[in-house]
Amino acid sequence: MSGGNVKKTFATRSFVDKIASSLMIDPSTIYRELPHLDADSIQTGSPKDLSPNLDLSGYIDHTLLKPNATVSSVKKICEEANQYKFATVCVNSCNTTLVKQFLNQSIGVAVVVGFPLGQAHTNVKMEEAKTAVQEGATELDMVLNYARLLDKDYKYVYDDVSSVVGVIGDVILKVIIETSQLQDEDIIAACIICVLAGAHYVKTSTGFVGDGAQQDTFALMKAVVGDKVKLKSSGGIRDRETALKFISIGADRIGTSSGVGIVKNNQSVQEGY
């Protein structure tokens, strides 16, 4: 993993002005939501101290997104989530009703939207999100159209996210920005746009592209969003030590297919999400 203890400084005010111009809003709109960005620069913070005995169960989104996920494998991860009291089970949308069937009511049902590329038409994402909610999803993990983000088409990205927000009611929305494909400036823009669009979480990765979660980029995400929204780290987190590092930086959720090994403090699992 990249080192998360090295503080980095990033220019903000001039870049916020560029984002605001693209969105055709006054910069003050962004500063009202994220007042700490009204400065010449921001700096990533230091990790917080954690108890070595911290119970990680409530941080885990127990994840099964493999294309060969069978009914029996969906049932198995639900049984594991029930046993270890994970936060949610996270699956593809075709498995929403199965998870609802197998899972205790105290465990959340998280469903991915526009997964894994984020390039589905916004209307398709909206319909997938609405269907998942109708079938029992309590949380959605939506992939940002990061190709449009790389084009600096911030209005498109904002509309994409806000359109999904507008059709899901009180359901929690996490937006996956795919940090491995982005430069620091893109990560800052994505985080600001997600906040403005009404997302509840910003999430690092799908686990299908690039290196997955990295501590330095995650620290940058935390520096941008502060406490305004929550953060989810995912992609390549397969052991307790790594999970704790991300939680110390600011992760509210950990997306992983290795949840059982993490909470049992087993050795690192080399395959999986």
Side-chain angles (χ1 to χ4, degrees):
M1 305 296 294
S2 299
N5 294 322
V6 178
K7 290 187 177 183
K8 298 174 70 175
T9 300
F10 302 88
T12 51
R13 188 178 285 123
S14 59
F15 185 53
V16 166
D17 289 347
K18 294 179 183 178
I19 297 173
S21 177
S22 177
L23 295 175
M24 296 179 287
I25 60 175
D26 191 273
S28 63
T29 303
I30 296 175
Y31 296 136
R32 279 196 297 270
E33 298 293 331
L34 299 165
H36 60 285
L37 298 186
D38 190 6
D40 291 333
S41 63
I42 56 170
Q43 186 178 67
T44 55
S46 300
K48 62 184 178 181
D49 293 329
L50 299 174
S51 167
N53 300 318
L54 180 67
D55 182 3
L56 301 188
S57 298
Y59 288 91
I60 301 294
D61 283 353
H62 199 34
T63 302
L64 180 61
L65 296 170
K66 293 180 178 180
N68 61 346
T70 61
V71 172
S72 61
S73 61
V74 173
K75 183 177 182 181
K76 181 175 183 290
I77 67 160
C78 289
E79 291 171 345
E80 291 169 346
N82 291 337
Q83 178 180 353
Y84 293 101
K85 298 180 174 58
F86 293 140
T88 73
V89 164
C90 184
V91 294
N92 286 298
S93 57
C94 67
N95 292 318
T96 308
T97 55
L98 286 175
V99 172
K100 193 70 176 174
Q101 174 185 345
F102 297 136
L103 207 58
N104 291 343
Q105 290 187 355
S106 59
I107 311 295
V109 179
V111 176
V112 293
V113 172
F115 194 89
L117 301 178
Q119 294 197 28
H121 194 286
T122 299
N123 289 342
V124 175
K125 290 182 179 179
M126 292 167 66
E127 287 302 317
E128 187 175 22
K130 286 194 293 185
T131 299
V133 171
Q134 290 166 0
E135 292 184 344
T138 59
E139 304 185 6
L140 300 173
D141 288 40
M142 167 192 171
V143 186
L144 188 89
N145 192 322
Y146 55 89
R148 292 291 189 270
L149 181 73
L150 294 171
D151 287 331
K152 314 300 183 189
D153 191 350
Y154 299 142
K155 184 67 165 60
Y156 182 102
V157 176
Y158 172 86
D159 289 342
D160 193 50
V161 177
S162 64
S163 294
V164 173
V165 170
V167 298
I168 62 173
D170 296 331
V171 169
I172 291 171
L173 179 68
K174 312 184 197 93
V175 180
I176 306 168
I177 65 174
E178 205 66 277
T179 52
S180 69
Q181 306 304 297
L182 307 178
Q183 300 299 314
D184 290 339
E185 184 177 276
D186 304 313
I187 292 169
I188 294 170
C191 289
I192 291 172
I193 290 167
C194 288
V195 170
L196 294 177
H200 303 92
Y201 284 74
V202 186
K203 175 179 171 182
T204 56
S205 318
T206 62
F208 280 63
V209 179
D211 295 331
Q214 300 292 313
Q215 292 173 56
D216 53 356
T217 53
F218 194 69
L220 174 57
M221 292 167 63
K222 180 62 177 175
V224 176
V225 304
D227 296 323
K228 183 64 179 182
V229 299
K230 296 181 178 181
L231 292 175
K232 176 175 173 178
S233 184
S234 59
I237 301 174
R238 303 188 181 105
D239 59 72
R240 179 178 174 85
E241 180 182 2
T242 304
L244 284 170
K245 286 178 180 178
F246 280 100
I247 293 169
S248 74
I249 296 169
D252 300 283
R253 292 283 183 85
I254 300 291
T256 180
S257 58
S258 306
V260 174
I262 288 172
V263 298
K264 293 176 69 176
N265 203 20
N266 288 351
Q267 287 186 326
S268 173
V269 179
Q270 296 306 312
E271 296 182 358
Y273 176 83

